[in-house]
């Protein structure tokens, strides 16, 4: 018999729900069955974020640093992009503070990607759509089209590795803890970034030290992102096919907690085994070379 010649098997959310219900000895019959299953599926994905690094959600990100003057620079950046769309961005200065005339909300300008957009730091509050924003040093005034979305930044779970790029060369910089950053005596020191601190807020930020001494250095880092939600039954899930067994068995366990408690123990074992196998395989592979030394030889 001929093989299929295809390797594109996948399950949409509806298929995953049906398979999970069947493993519980049940059938998904009502609209609410689908609603409660999708809710459980999304909660399970949140748990996966706590279980370790999901390599397929790692993305490289670049952030240009911003200096306003020889004595002023931006040291706290959103982990991701916050874009403000305005009527005219040309006259604003990189690094300066912009203020909403009616909301009083403030943020700093990081870059000016186009004549009508600014990338900004995390705002102090919520801007009001159509309000005027004023630059603190340039005096530029423009109309904001809408309150900038924080979704891209809030999808970040953590930062994995970071370098600072200067004149085409990448230099690794080290992560420090909240306490380490707090103990730095002079936080306004300017220079090439050598350390960073990740503040894992709902809208997470990264603080670098020393603060930028120019507006040409670039941070390059890997950020770990959330897995896309299961919004509708026709969606496919943002997981590699290797994780489909653990996705189904995990949802079956979650459904059993609500609808088939007598099957919980067996389904939990199946889920943990499936997830362990997939997570163990989902790892970086590097060459390992062990070299014995004279100090490692013991004479008996």
């Amino acid at each position: 018999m001929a093989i299929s010649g295809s390797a594109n098997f996948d399950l949409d959310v509806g298929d995953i729900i049906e398979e999970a219900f069947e493993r519980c000895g049940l059938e998904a019959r009502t609209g609410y069955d689908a609603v409660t299953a999708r809710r459980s599926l999304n909660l399970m994905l949140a748990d996966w974020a706590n279980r370790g690094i999901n390599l397929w959600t790692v993305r490289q990100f670049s952030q240009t640093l911003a200096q306003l003057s020889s004595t002023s620079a931006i040291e706290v950046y959103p982990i991701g992009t916050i874009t403000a769309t305005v009527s005219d961005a040309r006259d604003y200065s990189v690094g300066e503070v912009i203020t909403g005339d009616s909301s009083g909300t403030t943020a700093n300008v990081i870059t000016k990607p186009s004549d009508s957009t600014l990338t900004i730091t995390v705002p102090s509050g919520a801007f009001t759509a159509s309000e005027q924003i004023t630059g603190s040093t340039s005096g530029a005034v423009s109309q904001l089209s809408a309150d900038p979305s924080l979704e891209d930044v809030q999808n970040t779970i953590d930062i994995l590795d970071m370098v600072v790029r200067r004149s085409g060369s990448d230099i690794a910089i080290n992560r420090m803890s909240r306490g380490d950053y707090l103990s730095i005596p002079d936080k306004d020191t300017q220079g090439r970034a050598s350390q960073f601190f990740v503040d894992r807020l709902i809208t997470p930020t990264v603080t670098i030290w020393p603060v930028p001494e120019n507006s040409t250095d670039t941070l390059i880092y890997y950020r770990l992102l959330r897995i896309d939600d299961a919004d509708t039954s026709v969606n496919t899930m943002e997981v590699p096919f290797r994780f489909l067994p653990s996705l189904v068995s995990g949802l079956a366990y979650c459904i059993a907690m609500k609808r088939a408690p007598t099957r919980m123990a067996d389904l939990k074992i199946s889920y943990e085994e499936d997830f362990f196998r997939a997570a163990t395989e989902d790892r970086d592979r590097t060459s390992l070379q062990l070299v014995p030394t004279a100090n490692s030889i013991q004479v008996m």
Side-chain angles (χ1 to χ4, degrees):
M1 296 180 64
I3 62 174
S4 68
S6 65
N8 58 2
F9 173 77
D10 202 355
L11 298 174
D12 62 25
V13 172
D15 293 331
I16 293 168
I17 291 172
E18 288 181 5
E19 179 69 17
F21 266 87
E22 288 172 3
R23 293 189 185 193
C24 294
L26 304 169
E27 291 184 9
R29 293 181 176 273
T30 68
Y32 181 73
D33 287 339
V35 170
T36 188
R38 286 197 300 269
R39 183 170 62 238
S40 293
L41 189 55
N42 286 325
L43 287 170
M44 186 179 72
L45 295 180
D47 177 59
W48 282 18
N50 294 325
R51 286 177 175 243
I53 297 172
N54 303 310
L55 290 182
W56 69 92
T57 66
V58 176
R59 302 286 187 276
Q60 189 180 93
F61 186 79
S62 300
Q63 175 65 73
T64 302
L65 301 182
Q67 180 197 40
L68 182 57
S69 68
S70 60
T71 59
S72 177
I74 298 175
E75 71 273 10
V76 182
Y77 295 83
I79 306 177
T81 304
I82 304 174
T83 301
T85 301
V86 295
S87 56
D88 190 349
R90 289 172 295 181
D91 293 333
Y92 290 99
S93 300
V94 169
E96 73 173 329
V97 178
I98 56 172
T99 303
D101 291 350
S102 58
S103 67
T105 298
T106 61
N108 288 84
V109 177
I110 302 175
T111 62
K112 300 189 292 181
S114 73
D115 288 345
S116 61
T117 57
L118 307 167
T119 66
I120 60 174
T121 58
V122 178
S124 63
F127 285 104
T128 302
S130 300
E131 73 174 326
Q132 300 290 320
I133 57 171
T134 304
S136 59
T137 57
S138 65
V141 179
S142 186
Q143 188 176 45
L144 186 69
S145 65
D147 186 24
S149 173
L150 306 180
E151 183 176 351
D152 180 62
V153 180
Q154 292 175 346
N155 283 342
T156 301
I157 297 173
D158 203 357
I159 286 179
L160 303 183
D161 304 287
M162 181 180 291
V163 299
V164 61
R165 179 171 294 172
R166 174 178 288 188
S167 301
S169 297
D170 292 343
I171 300 114
I173 60 178
N174 299 318
R175 184 166 180 165
M176 57 181 163
S177 68
R178 187 187 304 271
D180 290 338
Y181 179 71
L182 183 63
S183 65
I184 293 175
D186 187 357
K187 295 180 175 60
D188 294 328
T189 298
Q190 289 186 306
R192 188 188 68 204
S194 62
Q195 297 183 82
F196 69 97
F197 157 57
V198 177
D199 202 355
R200 298 180 69 183
L201 306 168
I202 294 176
T203 306
T205 62
V206 59
T207 301
I208 63 168
W209 187 86
V211 300
E213 60 182 353
N214 58 49
S215 294
T216 56
D217 284 354
T218 304
L219 295 180
I220 313 291
Y221 57 84
Y222 287 110
R223 60 176 182 149
L224 183 65
L225 301 176
R226 288 177 52 169
I227 301 172
D228 282 356
D229 298 335
D231 285 339
T232 68
S233 293
V234 297
N235 289 148
T236 53
M237 296 302 300
E238 189 197 10
V239 299
F241 79 98
R242 296 174 288 102
F243 275 79
L244 288 177
S246 52
L247 194 69
V248 171
S249 57
L251 180 57
Y253 168 61
C254 293
I255 292 171
M257 283 193 285
K258 297 184 283 188
R259 301 284 297 277
T262 58
R263 298 200 178 203
M264 277 180 57
D266 291 340
L267 290 172
K268 180 175 175 58
I269 292 172
S270 175
Y271 170 42
E272 296 297 344
E273 289 179 347
D274 288 344
F275 186 87
F276 176 78
R277 281 193 295 269
T280 300
E281 198 281 335
D282 192 52
R283 67 188 190 278
D284 281 330
R285 288 176 171 80
T286 58
S287 300
L288 176 64
Q289 184 177 17
L290 301 178
V291 180
T293 65
N295 292 334
S296 66
I297 300 175
Q298 294 183 355
V299 178
M300 302 301 291

